[in-house]
Amino acid sequence: MHRCASPPPKATSTRTSAFAVSRSPARDLAFNGLYGLSPYGHAPTEFVERVEVLKGPGALLGGMSPQGGVGGVINLVPKRAGDKPLLRLSTDFTSAAQYGAHLDAGRRFGDNGRYGVRFNGGYRDGKVGVDEQKKERLLAAIALDYRGAQLNLALDAYSNRENIDNGSSWMASFPSTGVIAPPKTGTNLLRGIYGKLENDAVAVRASYEFSDALSAYAALGKLRYRYSGYINGTRAAIRNAAGDYLGTTFHQRGSTDTTSAEVGLRARFTTGSVRHQMVLSATSLEFDTGRATPGFSADYKSNIYRPGAPALGADPGPAPKVGDAALRSLALADTLAFAGDKVLLTLGAREQQVKTRALHPVSGAVTSNYDKRALTPALGLVVKPWTPALSLYANYIEGLSQGGSVTDATAKNFGEVFAPYQSKQVEGGVKWDQGEYGNTLSVFQIKRPSMLKDTASNTYNADGRQRNRGVEWNVFGQLGGQLRVLGGATYTDGKMTHASSAALTGKTIYGTPKWKANLGGDWSVPGANGLSLNARLVYTGSQYVNSSNTQQIGSWTRVDLGARHSVRWLAHTLQLRANVENVANKSYWAGSFNDGYVTQGAGRIYKLSASVDL
């Protein structure tokens, strides 16, 4: 993916941006440069080569995030066949009793290895997560590519299935008296719950080099997503400090069919002493959404510390089409290099159109219809005043995004779709990169609309406006040849600058901790060839869980430890891994999910794996 005048991709980011209730992580991840094609649920890592994080005006060239992110692109890059043949078999074990296997095979054929094939298949099944819960996952992915002198072609296809049985994630709300302690890790509130996720996608991409100065590219992809069962939102309304709660479960069925495409030209030329990298691109992203009215259970009583069997909502039946959306754009950007690349200036603009419709699930009548256009600018500046290792940068970018929809099934306006909206980000910072080791320090501000819940009427509205300001530090690289580090810290001041209720204006945005930090290290043990030890520290500060800021969950810290060892065994390379997540088995409220609800963090997890190259 092409980048323009912005700091090089950061290896990690701790920045927090509060999301409205409709935000879908799958839509905010690009898959090989195309939005809308990443798997819903969990993105399997088995067929992913790397994760690219592009910040600043580089986002202009990759298309705007359909769910509201500005100033950045997160792109999943699928594996390709390498120059050397590969046949790798991996097995793994995860506590309490889940087993898995993964086959990774790749090979190139033809003159100079022009044709490539890479296959990744994985299966995992067994107990994991909360007590007695089972999860099954099946993945099959194929990647074909052609590398020519001028023409490059690629095809990626995958099928991913997730089945969840006898347990599920859940969310809790607290009584007016305040927050109470979570149950012990592994407590299963939802025995008998089940769910199924199905993702199938295919994408093709082509690029052609007309000359060293001019190239073209095009891509097209489709995703079919289906879900059923008790997928999310199953909740416990806690009534008192003893942990008694009133529970509700609801059975869901739904679908999303996505078509994503892009086409563009890249040109490199010089005017006088100024070098140019210009990109002209067009993108199209279309969603068709189906959803059944959830089957609610009767309210039932239980206790989070001593849970009983939940009541289960009935299967709601077929999922009719309830909406569609089309996001289209045309962008032009130019990165100008001055003074021997000591100054890089990116200027660009994107003409965007967002069309959304909401349909009545029974009659099919249009209940809302929005069509909005906007010309959104982007500006980026990088200056290297003293040495190539030190960069000062600043950027400003705007984006038009699809309006949110109410996914809280208990709300009176469940399913309502709001108008598209614009977001704005400004950022400035410094990067010190010594090649093997680097740091970045930046300040930022993001302004965007926000959905709010009116508890009196149990409805959501899009009248809110939020502003996130903060400071972010990241560190990455290798120290002394044996220690590799990756981490960062962010301070965020998130405020509701405008709300339909005056009492909410000026409040801190729920789900936005002021401090977040993580630091990981990987150490190659001297004298022990192939042995490495690793550790990670994750910290999340306290955060409000509702818009009125009357309830707050505490900060939490998690420690993960691991080791890996690479050895030769019967003329083959064998790699062994062992990891423990949440070493202390600490129970904590992890964060907010919807206005007034929280989720519980995962307990201690053991992971063992062995990989052999055949």
Side-chain angles (χ1 to χ4, degrees):
M1 181 178 293
H2 184 78
R3 294 186 62 255
C4 59
S6 57
K10 296 180 181 178
T12 184
S13 180
T14 52
R15 185 175 305 180
T16 297
S17 179
F19 287 89
V21 293
S22 66
R23 301 300 164 222
S24 168
R27 291 186 180 182
D28 272 347
L29 291 176
F31 178 72
N32 200 25
L34 290 175
Y35 275 116
L37 301 186
S38 294
Y40 287 75
H42 301 92
T45 58
E46 289 91 342
F47 73 126
V48 175
E49 181 70 34
R50 65 184 184 276
V51 179
E52 294 179 336
V53 181
L54 310 183
K55 300 185 66 180
L60 178 76
L61 307 179
M64 291 298 174
S65 163
Q67 294 290 6
V70 293
V73 174
I74 299 177
N75 183 39
L76 305 181
V77 180
K79 291 179 178 177
R80 293 276 180 265
D83 293 330
K84 295 182 179 180
L86 173 69
L87 181 59
R88 178 175 297 158
L89 178 64
S90 303
T91 59
D92 62 77
F93 169 83
T94 304
S95 58
Q98 187 182 71
Y99 299 88
H102 170 217
L103 177 65
D104 187 356
R107 190 178 180 88
R108 304 205 69 84
F109 304 90
D111 296 338
N112 300 317
R114 288 189 175 186
Y115 302 94
V117 180
R118 186 79 174 260
F119 172 80
N120 279 271
Y123 181 77
R124 186 169 285 110
D125 192 16
K127 296 179 182 180
V128 69
V130 296
D131 294 341
E132 301 303 318
Q133 180 191 28
K134 293 183 178 180
K135 291 185 179 181
E136 179 187 39
R137 184 166 65 80
L138 178 65
L139 168 71
I142 188 76
L144 309 176
D145 72 282
Y146 169 81
R147 300 190 311 204
Q150 293 176 284
L151 177 66
N152 287 276
L153 301 171
L155 181 145
D156 295 282
Y158 71 83
S159 180
N160 188 54
R161 300 288 186 271
E162 292 186 60
N163 295 308
I164 305 166
D165 186 49
N166 197 37
S168 173
S169 58
W170 56 284
M171 61 180 72
S173 62
F174 299 115
S176 58
T177 52
V179 174
I180 68 172
K184 68 177 182 179
T185 60
T187 299
N188 191 349
L189 269 65
L190 298 169
R191 297 179 188 273
I193 293 292
Y194 56 88
K196 178 184 291 186
L197 306 176
E198 301 178 355
N199 289 277
D200 299 290
V202 61
V204 293
R205 177 172 290 276
S207 63
Y208 190 83
E209 298 282 343
F210 296 99
S211 67
D212 291 340
L214 182 64
S215 62
Y217 63 92
L220 174 66
K222 295 184 73 70
L223 169 71
R224 179 185 181 274
Y225 169 59
R226 300 291 185 270
Y227 63 90
S228 63
Y230 306 86
I231 303 303
N232 57 46
T234 300
R235 60 200 64 207
I238 300 172
R239 299 304 189 194
N240 52 45
D244 296 322
Y245 73 86
L246 193 65
T248 307
T249 67
F250 46 95
H251 195 299
Q252 304 178 69
R253 283 189 181 272
S255 64
T256 301
D257 292 297
T258 305
T259 301
S260 185
E262 70 170 350
V263 62
L265 288 171
R266 296 190 179 102
R268 295 170 289 276
F269 57 93
T270 301
T271 57
S273 61
V274 180
R275 294 192 304 106
H276 298 259
Q277 294 187 57
M278 184 173 290
V279 177
L280 175 65
S281 64
T283 64
S284 175
L285 182 59
E286 297 182 357
F287 299 101
D288 280 348
T289 303
R291 183 177 59 243
T293 300
F296 286 88
S297 73
D299 291 341
Y300 64 93
K301 295 180 179 180
S302 189
N303 185 281
I304 65 171
Y305 306 119
R306 300 175 302 279
L312 301 183
D315 189 330
K321 181 177 177 178
V322 295
D324 52 46
L327 292 73
R328 299 186 177 95
S329 69
L330 178 66
L332 178 65
D334 187 15
T335 297
L336 299 85
F338 304 89
D341 290 353
K342 290 184 177 181
V343 178
L344 301 176
L345 174 65
T346 295
L347 302 173
R350 181 180 290 273
E351 173 66 25
Q352 293 182 262
Q353 179 188 29
V354 177
K355 299 174 66 175
T356 60
R357 294 193 309 165
L359 309 177
H360 192 278
V362 178
S363 66
V366 177
T367 57
S368 66
N369 191 353
Y370 299 104
D371 186 349
K372 186 174 181 179
R373 293 177 179 269
L375 181 65
T376 56
L379 171 67
L381 179 65
V382 176
V383 180
K384 301 177 181 180
W386 303 292
T387 169
L390 185 67
S391 301
L392 307 177
Y393 64 91
N395 59 69
Y396 174 81
I397 192 167
E398 296 182 9
L400 180 68
S401 302
Q402 180 182 355
S405 61
V406 180
T407 58
D408 184 349
T410 62
K412 287 186 177 179
N413 61 335
F414 169 65
E416 182 176 354
V417 178
F418 297 108
Y421 63 88
Q422 283 186 254
S423 301
K424 302 177 181 180
Q425 174 180 291
V426 61
E427 181 181 19
V430 57
K431 179 172 183 176
W432 178 60
D433 192 345
Q434 292 294 100
E436 292 188 345
Y437 175 78
N439 287 267
T440 62
L441 181 66
S442 63
V443 294
F444 62 90
Q445 175 176 280
I446 301 172
K447 292 183 177 181
R448 54 175 292 168
S450 178
M451 278 201 283
L452 297 173
K453 182 180 181 180
D454 179 21
T455 54
S457 63
N458 192 28
T459 59
Y460 288 84
N461 63 73
D463 295 335
R465 297 290 183 274
Q466 69 180 57
R467 182 202 65 212
N468 288 346
R469 287 176 176 168
V471 181
E472 180 180 37
W473 166 72
N474 285 300
V475 59
F476 51 91
Q478 183 168 292
L479 300 174
Q482 293 175 314
L483 178 63
R484 292 160 293 281
V485 296
L486 177 65
T490 301
Y491 173 82
T492 303
D493 179 30
K495 296 294 184 183
M496 188 65 63
T497 56
H498 172 76
S500 54
S501 169
L504 298 180
T505 301
K507 297 292 187 180
T508 297
I509 302 166
Y510 76 87
T512 307
K514 286 189 177 296
W515 287 100
K516 291 188 71 176
N518 60 72
L519 180 62
D522 187 273
W523 179 53
S524 298
V525 179
N529 289 337
L531 177 63
S532 297
L533 305 178
N534 60 77
R536 181 172 63 169
L537 180 71
V538 181
Y539 171 81
T540 298
S542 60
Q543 57 187 285
Y544 290 108
V545 301
N546 57 6
S547 295
S548 58
N549 290 180
T550 59
Q551 296 176 338
Q552 187 179 41
I553 58 175
S555 62
W556 56 268
T557 302
R558 194 188 79 208
V559 177
D560 305 333
L561 298 175
R564 73 178 187 275
H565 190 39
S566 181
V567 297
R568 294 291 292 176
W569 177 70
L570 298 179
H572 298 287
T573 300
L574 176 65
Q575 188 163 95
L576 305 174
R577 295 177 183 270
N579 292 87
V580 183
E581 297 179 1
N582 191 3
V583 172
N585 199 28
K586 182 178 181 179
S587 179
Y588 56 93
W589 298 119
S592 298
F593 188 94
N594 287 343
D595 196 344
Y597 291 91
V598 297
T599 58
Q600 185 180 8
R604 181 166 51 223
I605 300 175
Y606 299 96
K607 295 182 178 181
L608 301 172
S609 70
S611 300
V612 59
D613 289 349
L614 302 174

